[in-house]
Amino acid sequence: MGMSLRANTIHCMRTLTGLLARIAAAAVAVSSLSTGCAFERTIATPHLPGPGSVVPYRLIQQPDAGYQPIIDLIRSSISSVRMTMYELSDDTAVTALIDAHRRGVDVKVILNRAYHGHDTNRASYAALHADGVDVKWAPNDVIYHQKTITVDRTTAAVGTGNLTSKYYTTSRDAYILTTNPSDVAAIAATFETDFNTPAAGRPPAATTAPRLIWSPAARATFLQRIDAAVHTLDITTEELKDGGVLAAVGKAARRGVACRIVLTDNPAWSRAIDEVSASGCSVHLLPATPTGLYMHEKLILTDGNTLIIGSHNLSTTSLLENRELSLQLDTTAAREVIAAVRATFNNDYHQALPASSSTR
């Protein structure tokens, strides 16, 4: 679950115009793995909009672009910051939140407490609370795996990665910056509901928007997207174990969809890998090492033109119980984002090795 699973595996193996200008230099990045444990970086040329153009979605691809654009987003805040984070253990991010609060920005933070969250987030919670930042624990019996930052009710960062600095240089992750008003308004409204609703054993109902996929109850949307694939189905995930997803992936492969999955090698997914491989899906694995690239990104790309990307793992808990958020994008809204994600996936897939049960 999240980065704690990664640690266990290795043990066995950061005004709107100004913001976009700062982020553009690092907004779209594609990394290239070299063979073995280490990896090299190749940065794709970012799409830079012309004067007056509107780009509602931008990609920050980790580890290439780093987390400075996320820190800059917090530092650019004028009126408000709203953060929901599964793991916050980055002193620079905590300092940026405190500095924003000190200059009069309305800063509110929800940190996950369930699972191992209290131990992981305790120091950051204490630092924020001590400086007067309005920080709350999520309910003790619900995993808040969401990773979002909303600034000034104009920009939201929706991510796959936690703000855990020790993993920044080795973790394949991504953040999407959205300035789409319906996305931002729904994310901000859901934050207020989560922040102000008493614990009840289950996250309260989220505010919907056409491109947002919320958990609980996200599995149906994921299955619909997999079932809609006609030509190709590309998947990167940290956890691969939900029975409904595995059945849908196998069904797609059997009807002729070219299915590819990239994972970090972990015995926990061996049965799932064997199942989808038997249906014709090609699974490639990266070794679990302390210095190698770890596949923590969570995405489903179908037919090269429709993308789900965000905090959802392909596990039953993630899809049906946690608080999670992913974006569903297509080439009409996010052509450059999807092109960059596709290029990164292709590179990771070709650098990884086929699973023992995979025929290609």
Side-chain angles (χ1 to χ4, degrees), residues 49-200:
S53 65
V54 178
V55 180
Y57 299 99
R58 289 184 177 272
L59 171 69
I60 305 171
Q61 182 75 70
Q62 279 94 21
D64 308 83
Y67 279 77
Q68 190 62 44
I70 303 301
I71 303 303
D72 287 346
L73 175 64
I74 298 169
R75 288 174 175 166
S76 75
S77 60
I78 296 170
S79 58
S80 65
V81 176
R82 300 290 186 262
M83 175 189 288
T84 301
M85 194 59 55
Y86 180 64
E87 290 186 356
L88 175 61
S89 54
D90 176 353
D91 291 343
T92 303
V94 172
T95 298
L97 292 166
I98 291 171
D99 288 347
H101 167 71
R102 288 177 177 175
R103 57 187 165 81
V105 177
D106 179 17
V107 180
K108 289 183 169 64
V109 178
I110 299 172
L111 295 178
N112 178 63
R113 185 170 188 168
Y115 198 42
H116 65 279
H118 185 266
D119 292 338
T120 302
N121 295 321
R122 179 168 44 194
S124 295
Y125 181 98
L128 293 169
H129 182 74
D131 222 284
V133 174
D134 201 352
V135 56
K136 285 189 176 182
W137 289 113
N140 195 41
D141 53 354
V142 180
I143 295 173
Y144 270 58
H145 195 242
Q146 180 182 341
K147 307 133 189 338
T148 59
I149 305 159
T150 307
V151 168
D152 298 338
R153 294 185 174 270
T154 60
T155 305
V158 178
T160 75
N162 299 293
L163 296 183
T164 309
S165 55
K166 67 180 179 179
Y167 296 132
Y168 285 170
T169 62
T170 58
S171 187
R172 170 67 78 220
D173 271 305
Y175 269 81
I176 304 292
L177 300 182
T178 173
T179 57
N180 182 318
S182 64
D183 296 344
V184 177
I187 294 168
T190 301
F191 179 93
E192 298 304 326
T193 300
D194 286 347
F195 196 82
N196 294 304
T197 302

Side-chain angles (χ1 to χ4, degrees), residues 301-353:
L301 179 62
T302 56
D303 298 326
N305 57 29
T306 304
L307 173 69
I308 293 176
I309 186 167
S311 69
H312 287 90
N313 281 304
L314 298 183
S315 71
T316 304
T317 301
S318 181
L319 295 171
L320 296 182
E321 298 177 16
N322 297 351
R323 170 63 85 211
E324 308 267 7
L325 178 60
S326 293
L327 284 165
Q328 184 167 214
L329 305 175
D330 55 36
T331 51
T332 62
R335 178 170 56 88
E336 290 78 17
V337 168
I338 289 176
V341 167
R342 184 170 62 244
T344 300
F345 178 91
N346 286 336
N347 186 76
D348 291 345
Y349 175 82
H350 290 300
Q351 295 295 335
L353 295 176

Side-chain angles (χ1 to χ4, degrees), residues 175-336:
Y175 269 81
I176 304 292
L177 300 182
T178 173
T179 57
N180 182 318
S182 64
D183 296 344
V184 177
I187 294 168
T190 301
F191 179 93
E192 298 304 326
T193 300
D194 286 347
F195 196 82
N196 294 304
T197 302
R202 181 177 176 86
T207 300
T208 60
R211 299 188 184 277
L212 302 185
I213 306 173
W214 292 102
S215 272
R219 181 199 269 158
T221 304
F222 277 71
L223 297 182
Q224 288 166 7
R225 176 44 40 204
I226 295 169
D227 288 343
V230 176
H231 303 293
T232 61
L233 173 62
D234 294 332
I235 296 172
T236 296
T237 183
E238 184 185 23
E239 300 180 9
L240 181 66
K241 59 182 180 179
D242 179 72
V245 168
L246 293 173
V249 169
K251 180 180 176 182
R254 286 191 298 272
R255 69 172 184 267
V257 175
C259 168
R260 302 184 298 173
I261 300 177
V262 181
L263 304 166
T264 293
D265 195 5
N266 187 326
W269 323 133
S270 295
R271 182 176 298 179
I273 291 169
D274 291 346
E275 179 178 337
V276 296
S277 294
S279 300
C281 191
S282 175
V283 181
H284 282 204
L285 303 175
L286 288 165
T289 69
T291 58
L293 189 64
Y294 180 85
M295 302 307 295
H296 189 261
E297 197 168 31
K298 302 99 166 57
L299 65 86
I300 296 177
L301 179 62
T302 56
D303 298 326
N305 57 29
T306 304
L307 173 69
I308 293 176
I309 186 167
S311 69
H312 287 90
N313 281 304
L314 298 183
S315 71
T316 304
T317 301
S318 181
L319 295 171
L320 296 182
E321 298 177 16
N322 297 351
R323 170 63 85 211
E324 308 267 7
L325 178 60
S326 293
L327 284 165
Q328 184 167 214
L329 305 175
D330 55 36
T331 51
T332 62
R335 178 170 56 88
E336 290 78 17

